[in-house]
Amino acid sequence: MSYKFALIFAIIGIFTIPALASNAFGHGLGGDQAEPLTFGDMEVTVRTDLTPSDITVGEVDDVNMKIRFFDTLTDTTLEKVTYRIEVWQAGELLARNLFYDTDGVLNIKIKPESDCKEIDLWKCTIYGGSEHVSAPGALFVQGEGRPSITGPIFVQGGLYNIRVDIEGATSPKTVLATLLSYDTFVSIAQEQDFFIQTANAEEIPVIVKTYYDEVDNFQFDSSDNSIYFDMPFDWSPEYVDLVQVVHEEVRVPKDFAPYAEGKQFKGYVNGVEIDQRALLNDPYSYEDTNIVHFLITNKELKNISESIVADQDKDIMKLKLVPQSEVSRTSTEFYLVDTTNFEEVPTTVNISWDGRYGATDEIPFEITFFDENRNLIKDVKYAYSLIDENDVEVERNSGEDPNNPGIVAIEGIDIPQIYVPSEGQYRLDILVYGTGLDYDPTYSGIGSAIIEIGPSLPKDTTITIPDVTPPAAIPEWIKNNAGWWANGDIDDNSFVQGIQFLIKEGIMKIPPTTQGTGSGGNEIPEWIKNNAGWWANGDIDDNSFVQGIQFLIKEGIMKIES
């Protein structure tokens, strides 16, 4: 038996591959499932799904809202259901009406209309469909059509509460003695544009994509390069219990050095530092933009809520993002195979970690899931197991619900902290159950990485970064050379050779710079020599001088050999 297949069988032996039933509840990407209620000998619930799943205000004019009523014990859909549907946002009613569906899967076309002039927004809402003959007042459309709701729905970003009452089931004339009432929540994104004003009066565009509510009071603090904004939020325990996740995105150009690719971040909510898993950096989705996600789960929200004492903070969420020093990361990558034929599936897994972490640390491994086009796979349900050199399982995690397994990587990135007891070689097994509330199997499979863990190194987690990162580390004596060159005491070639040597030997450190295709030896622009003279005299700072060196490298005038 080949090593590959022996390893696959070892992974299967470690993980139990369950038959997955669709009885998870909690927010998914573009959908939500309520906790089940008892109905006869069944445990029934409703699930709300939006298509498209990731909706941004103004980008779609037709949304399908699917509501399914089913038994979680058997995954059987109940038929001939009368639904009362209410749509709420920020405590305001937007729509309320009865609907009927024969097969228990109700599809409603929602058409957002933003020109409502009524104080009570629900008065602008219009419903389409025909009243079902056996379910008075309930709208129904025969065949492939859908009843519709047209009004001020999904015209503003935030969390929407879809309330569903089941008034009748298994027969259009059956009226339940006690209503089955469910609350589901879906998030609609809204993009807001802001600008960072730098010390040299440059304006850096920043987009905050909010899935919860409109943000306000955007600020940039140049002392630590932090971004701050706030938004309305009810911190009462009753409300926090209902909110499964608050999702905010901060998008910053990568060419703004404090937020360049490779940077680490800390996040704070109302002054409380949030867990690493609640703050994810995505440099993959856009070539020129970093996306930093605040993904604040219900557990994290409860922890923060308990620390809030000031009355003025009880109705507002204050979010702060602080960039940290860049660190050296170790990484490995592998593809997954299915558990039946062991054939490759369209899933690649990348595992990386901060090289300063090692034996006896809880190492924050960043696990990232890509599809065949190198796009992030959203809403992944996965498990991991860490195995040492003696085939002893050190740690395993398949989520908190054994009936609905899987850790959820909402954006396709997760950062579990895994305790590693000693130095040596380990095997990290990954099992993907599927994606979404339905455990879509498209990207499911198993795979494994061999990782080498060294000693734990000292860490300084309090360092923040200046305007250019990494900073220009230049020994003071180099200024003498720059001054002599600016004065004509040494020639261009001697100066370039000196700088090449210093960079190659690590004596002079500059930010990563793309090497140009020139052959070297071209004339150096006069402005760079002027810069060198001004820098030698203390008239400009180190970073301004380094920009000139970066220019020489980019243009191919100066070659840096690896």
Side-chain angles (χ1 to χ4, degrees), residues 256-510:
F256 179 51
Y259 287 77
E261 186 168 350
K263 299 300 181 290
Q264 306 298 302
F265 298 91
K266 284 189 176 182
Y268 300 85
V269 174
N270 290 57
V272 179
E273 184 178 347
I274 58 176
D275 186 83
Q276 284 181 292
R277 299 181 82 162
L279 192 71
L280 303 178
N281 183 25
D282 168 16
Y284 312 107
S285 295
Y286 295 95
E287 184 176 345
D288 59 354
T289 303
N290 262 340
I291 305 175
V292 183
H293 297 268
F294 283 87
L295 285 168
I296 311 160
T297 63
N298 180 261
K299 181 179 179 180
E300 199 88 17
L301 290 170
K302 288 178 178 177
N303 291 337
I304 298 165
S305 176
E306 292 171 359
S307 69
I308 295 176
V309 293
D311 289 339
Q312 64 267 27
D313 290 343
K314 291 183 178 179
D315 59 358
I316 192 168
M317 179 176 286
K318 302 175 180 179
L319 300 101
K320 185 177 183 179
L321 179 64
V322 186
Q324 305 294 298
S325 299
E326 186 173 356
V327 298
S328 175
R329 298 186 70 81
T330 302
S331 67
T332 184
E333 195 164 288
F334 54 95
Y335 63 84
L336 301 186
V337 298
D338 67 59
T339 58
T340 303
N341 301 312
F342 312 124
E343 295 178 348
E344 186 175 346
V345 299
T347 307
T348 299
V349 180
N350 181 281
I351 298 175
S352 67
W353 64 98
D354 182 344
R356 297 172 300 176
Y357 287 85
T360 71
D361 285 334
E362 284 196 342
I363 301 179
F365 287 98
E366 182 175 289
I367 303 176
T368 309
F369 301 89
F370 298 100
D371 67 14
E372 64 274 27
N373 298 313
R374 205 63 186 179
N375 297 317
L376 291 172
I377 304 171
K378 305 297 182 73
D379 223 20
V380 175
K381 307 292 198 310
Y382 82 100
Y384 67 78
S385 179
L386 185 70
I387 313 297
D388 70 13
E389 293 175 292
N390 299 313
D391 287 330
V392 175
E393 186 175 67
V394 176
E395 183 174 331
R396 169 207 296 259
N397 191 342
S398 55
E400 298 179 354
D401 185 351
N403 296 317
N404 301 281
I407 308 162
V408 183
I410 295 177
E411 289 297 322
I413 305 171
D414 192 36
I415 310 178
Q417 293 185 327
I418 305 175
Y419 176 73
V420 178
S422 59
E423 296 181 45
Q425 197 174 78
Y426 292 82
R427 193 180 87 225
L428 187 58
D429 297 338
I430 299 293
L431 167 66
V432 172
Y433 296 106
T435 57
L437 292 172
D438 281 325
Y439 289 91
D440 185 321
T442 302
Y443 299 104
S444 63
I446 55 176
S448 183
I450 303 299
I451 59 177
E452 190 77 33
I453 301 299
S456 176
L457 302 176
K459 305 169 189 67
D460 184 354
T461 58
T462 63
I463 295 175
T464 56
I465 56 177
D467 286 340
V468 174
T469 301
I474 308 175
E476 188 68 19
W477 56 266
I478 298 178
K479 286 190 176 181
N480 295 333
N481 283 18
W484 295 334
W485 177 53
N487 294 332
D489 297 325
I490 61 175
D491 62 21
D492 290 359
N493 188 52
S494 297
F495 176 76
V496 167
Q497 287 180 351
I499 295 296
Q500 285 174 317
F501 173 80
L502 294 170
I503 295 174
K504 184 177 180 181
E505 295 300 313
I507 299 169
M508 176 177 173
K509 300 182 185 299
I510 68 168

Side-chain angles (χ1 to χ4, degrees), residues 233-250:
F233 188 80
D234 180 1
W235 285 104
S236 67
E238 297 78 16
Y239 183 75
V240 169
D241 280 342
L242 296 174
V243 181
Q244 296 301 311
V245 66
V246 172
H247 186 184
E248 304 295 310
E249 292 181 10
V250 182

Side-chain angles (χ1 to χ4, degrees), residues 65 67 82-88 93-100 106 108 122 125-132 135-140 147-149 163-165 167:
M65 182 169 71
I67 299 176
T82 303
Y83 300 86
R84 179 180 296 277
I85 307 297
E86 296 181 358
V87 181
W88 296 76
L93 178 65
L94 306 178
R96 177 191 286 140
N97 212 76
L98 290 172
F99 296 88
Y100 175 75
L106 174 67
I108 302 175
W122 61 268
T125 303
I126 301 171
Y127 306 91
S130 302
E131 184 174 330
H132 193 275
L139 296 179
F140 172 78
S148 64
I149 302 176
R163 293 184 182 173
V164 182
D165 290 338
E167 297 204 347

